[in-house]
C-alpha cells in the first residue's frame, strides 16, 4: 500500500508535466503548419535549381 502512496503522486506529476509541455508547444506554434512538412518532402529541389 505504501508503494501506491509513492507512485500515484509521481504519475500525477508526470501527467501534469506532459500536459504543460503540450500547452507550451501549442503556445509556441509547434502544431500550426502540419501540412508544410508533408508537402516539403515532395518538392524536388534539384529541378528548381536547374531552371
Amino acid at each position: 500500500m505504501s508503494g501506491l502512496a509513492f507512485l500515484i503522486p509521481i504519475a500525477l506529476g508526470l501527467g501534469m508535466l506532459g500536459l504543460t509541455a503540450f500547452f507550451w508547444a501549442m503556445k509556441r506554434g509547434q502544431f500550426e503548419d502540419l501540412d508544410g512538412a508533408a508537402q516539403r518532402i515532395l518538392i524536388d529541389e534539384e529541378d528548381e535549381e536547374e531552371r
Side-chain angles (χ1 to χ4, degrees):
M1 193 66 172
S2 65
L4 286 177
F6 180 71
L7 291 175
I8 289 174
I10 291 176
L12 290 174
L14 287 175
M16 280 298 218
L17 181 66
L19 192 61
T20 303
F22 173 73
F23 284 126
W24 175 79
M26 289 289 291
K27 185 177 180 181
R28 301 279 298 203
Q30 182 71 29
F31 303 112
E32 285 183 5
D33 185 21
L34 297 177
D35 294 328
Q39 292 183 6
R40 210 174 304 129
I41 198 167
L42 298 174
I43 297 171
D44 195 8
E45 294 179 6
E46 292 175 6
D47 289 343
E48 291 178 5
E49 292 175 2
E50 292 176 2
R51 293 179 188 176

